[in-house]
Amino acid sequence: MEDLILAIDQGTSSTKALLMNVRGEVVAQGLANLETTYFPNGHVEQDPLALMQSVENAVKACLSGMDPKSIKGIGISNQRETFVLWDAQGKPLSPAVVWACKRSTAICEKLQDQNDWIKSRTGLLIDPYFSGTKVLWLLENDPSLRQSLEAGELYFGTVDTWILFQLTQGRSFACDLTNASRTLFFNLESLTWDTEILARWGLSSLHLPVLKRSSDDFGQTDLFGLAPDGIPVLAMIGDSHASMFGETCFAEGDTKMTLGTGCSLLMHVGNAPRVSTQGLLSTIAWSTQDEVAYAWEGAIVACGSMMEWLKKDMGILDDVRASASIAESVEEDPGVYLVPAFSGLGAPFWQMDRKASFVGMRFGTKPAHLIKATLESISFQIKAVVDAMEADFGTNIQQIAMHGGLSRNSYVQKCLQGLLAAPIHQQDNPHISAQGAAFLAGLQVGLYPNLKALKQLIQADSLASTTSHKAIKVAYETWKEIIETNTY
């Protein structure tokens, strides 16, 4: 019987479950959608029980006809910053407040005088993007939650912790370092929950999970009754960090970008935190029993979500896969630019109160022009982050690993090739986050001896070289000026 790892990749819009063998090959998979509610006031929520149901549905679809005794361990990757509050019995007391939610904007404005202090301890900015200020909003707006907190009966967890708590019927209450580093509660230097922040924000009695490495022993689960003898959970990691590990970014300077609902660029900066002067966040890259790797991150809030908006809400795009050919069909420069601030602008600009807008529209503006401008804005945001990383790092990036749904869009590829000097590499694998979680679980159970063995499993191709695209570089400079000068 072949040894297998079950990878559960819980994302914003769906949950994937994959069985992987020691060669990193997928032998079975299951998928379950997850509904996200976007409110007009900027609130974004999910049902915590529906989230767990999507995990169960994906796992059962994946394991249909399979023998669970072949599974040596489970690795979990998850949407980051999204969190749930619950009681000791595991009953959710709040919605799953999604990373893109803007409900705590006013609270963040009130806390701006603490920004430097918070950044020095957590590596993050006081911003609605992160979990902590949205916890404060819930406590301000729901008296029952405040009562639970004061009674010492309120549990907090990011999605990894919520899934683990449910999988183990409350026996395991733990979080890995990458997810902890996205909460505003975690001290990046000491690798502990920051008691001073918690005390200052009135959260000392909040139950926080035990902190563990990404590759660690997280307890046993019967996996919804499918494995009565139990299977160990051996890895948990935020999805963007999981993809970094799945891309085998194991050395200082290694960089990856994920083009998903949002876009995350992470650069490995060594085994100690480094301060960015260019608007990048400091975070945990990944961790094993042997080391903790740190990273700079450029967090781009809107990426694939904008294409879905064009399709579902604006009705000007029937199929996202057709967007590249539509953009290519625009023969003359229409002079239309998108400020992609649907949930504010992330790195390196951090204009989180900014609103999205198309600039340069005329009566002659066509839907194709808006589609083209949207795809270009994705590439422009990436270019801005790469420039910031290279300025901080002091040297050019040697290569970038790219993956995610929109990474296969030929027009985005063309724009990035015209804007970036570094070669772009891609694996022929749509499951990079799940692969990273599986690799970490495999390390913990001993299926892989070390990082070098994982590196040997990876095969990646470079995008075909292209000549410098002067027009896209000129367009980028115009777009950047619009962003920096708030020109509408």
Side-chain angles (χ1 to χ4, degrees):
M1 187 184 303
E2 187 176 32
D3 290 341
L4 300 174
I5 294 291
L6 174 64
I8 299 172
D9 182 19
Q10 201 300 298
T12 309
S13 59
S14 65
T15 301
K16 289 189 292 187
L18 302 101
L19 282 174
M20 295 179 139
N21 62 24
V22 294
R23 296 178 298 281
E25 299 165 341
V26 176
V27 300
Q29 58 185 295
L31 176 70
N33 292 329
L34 175 62
E35 182 178 351
T36 302
T37 303
Y38 293 86
F39 296 93
N41 62 359
H43 293 200
V44 187
E45 296 178 357
Q46 293 170 336
D47 179 346
L49 298 179
L51 190 155
M52 276 309 303
Q53 189 63 56
S54 76
V55 173
E56 181 174 352
N57 292 346
V59 167
K60 287 183 174 178
C62 179
L63 269 58
S64 177
M66 305 294 293
D67 185 353
K69 292 182 180 179
S70 64
I71 302 173
K72 301 306 176 185
I74 299 170
I76 299 171
S77 60
N78 60 279
Q79 53 171 313
R80 305 179 306 162
E81 293 94 21
T82 301
F83 69 91
V84 183
L85 300 176
W86 65 89
D87 64 16
Q89 288 71 47
K91 176 186 176 182
L93 301 178
S94 76
V97 182
V98 178
W99 55 272
C101 183
K102 301 287 289 179
R103 71 185 63 204
S104 63
T105 298
I107 288 176
C108 290
E109 292 172 354
K110 293 177 184 177
L111 295 174
Q112 281 307 301
D113 62 328
Q114 299 180 28
N115 206 31
D116 290 343
W117 178 68
I118 288 292
K119 187 174 183 181
S120 70
R121 305 177 80 86
T122 69
L124 307 178
L125 302 172
I126 294 178
D127 190 271
Y129 187 68
F130 306 109
S131 313
T133 59
K134 289 178 279 200
V135 173
L136 296 179
W137 188 96
L138 288 174
L139 292 169
E140 281 189 9
N141 289 272
D142 188 336
S144 66
L145 288 177
R146 173 62 64 180
Q147 292 171 4
S148 295
L149 176 69
E150 292 173 353
E153 299 172 351
L154 192 63
Y155 287 69
F156 165 91
T158 44
V159 169
D160 60 324
T161 304
W162 170 244
I163 293 173
L164 180 70
F165 196 90
Q166 297 299 317
L167 284 179
T168 62
Q169 292 80 47
R171 294 187 303 275
S172 292
F173 181 49
C175 180
D176 100 291
L177 299 185
T178 65
N179 282 292
S181 73
R182 315 302 297 180
T183 62
L184 289 175
F185 301 150
F186 178 77
N187 191 297
L188 209 58
E189 293 275 359
S190 65
L191 302 179
T192 61
W193 297 118
D194 195 302
T195 56
E196 290 188 36
I197 294 174
L198 294 167
R200 189 164 182 175
W201 287 1
L203 299 172
S204 295
S205 58
L206 182 66
H207 284 277
L208 295 171
V210 174
L211 293 170
K212 296 192 172 224
R213 301 292 174 96
S214 306
S215 181
D216 214 323
D217 180 6
F218 290 93
Q220 295 267 333
T221 175
D222 69 1
L223 203 59
F224 309 108
L226 298 173
D229 295 335
I231 300 174
V233 179
L234 299 175
M236 299 202 310
I237 184 169
D239 53 9
S240 188
H241 310 261
S243 66
M244 188 180 195
F245 200 82
E247 292 284 13
T248 64
C249 293
F250 298 156
E252 190 173 331
D254 286 353
T255 304
K256 72 91 195 181
M257 56 183 172
T258 306
L259 280 65
T261 303
C263 179
S264 170
L265 283 85
L266 285 169
M267 172 189 274
H268 191 310
V269 296
N271 297 121
R274 291 173 60 175
V275 176
S276 165
T277 63
Q278 300 293 320
L280 303 172
L281 304 173
S282 296
T283 190
I284 303 293
W286 45 265
S287 58
T288 66
Q289 294 302 304
D290 296 325
E291 66 176 303
V292 176
Y294 290 80
W296 282 327
E297 179 176 18
I300 295 169
V301 182
C303 183
S305 56
M306 297 191 295
M307 306 309 297
E308 290 300 316
W309 171 74
L310 290 176
K311 176 184 175 182
K312 294 180 179 178
D313 297 302
M314 299 301 287
I316 65 173
L317 181 62
D318 294 330
D319 186 343
V320 173
R321 292 171 296 183
S323 60
S325 60
I326 293 172
E328 290 280 11
S329 72
V330 179
E331 296 180 356
E332 296 184 6
D333 180 12
V336 178
Y337 299 88
L338 173 60
V339 177
F342 292 89
S343 296
L345 282 176
F349 307 107
W350 294 110
Q351 300 175 12
M352 298 311 289
D353 57 347
R354 187 103 180 237
K355 302 296 187 294
S357 62
F358 283 104
V359 179
M361 289 196 295
R362 302 174 177 84
F363 283 125
T365 299
K366 303 289 194 300
H369 300 159
L370 305 184
I371 293 168
K372 179 175 183 286
T374 303
L375 290 175
E376 288 176 348
S377 75
I378 294 168
S379 303
F380 293 161
Q381 290 179 93
I382 291 170
K383 166 66 172 172
V385 170
V386 169
D387 284 352
M389 284 181 166
E390 292 183 335
D392 264 333
F393 200 55
T395 186
N396 292 336
I397 296 172
Q398 297 304 304
Q399 67 180 47
I400 302 176
M402 180 171 72
H403 56 266
L406 273 178
S407 70
R408 298 294 174 179
N409 185 290
S410 60
Y411 190 73
V412 172
Q413 291 179 348
K414 177 181 176 181
C415 291
L416 289 173
Q417 287 174 287
L419 290 167
L420 305 181
I424 299 171
H425 291 185
Q426 284 188 293
Q427 295 185 50
D428 185 20
N429 178 1
H431 311 299
I432 302 297
S433 291
Q435 177 171 277
F439 281 176
L440 285 160
L443 273 177
Q444 183 67 19
V445 78
L447 294 182
Y448 308 114
N450 49 42
L451 299 185
K452 183 179 179 181
L454 294 174
K455 198 83 172 176
Q456 293 172 346
L457 294 176
I458 298 303
Q459 293 183 339
D461 297 320
S462 295
L463 294 186
S465 60
T466 184
T467 56
S468 179
H469 194 330
K470 182 178 180 181
I472 196 66
K473 291 182 177 179
V474 171
Y476 168 70
E477 294 299 331
T478 302
W479 176 87
K480 188 178 178 184
E481 183 179 358
I482 291 169
I483 299 296
E484 293 178 341
T485 62
N486 281 301
T487 302
Y488 288 90

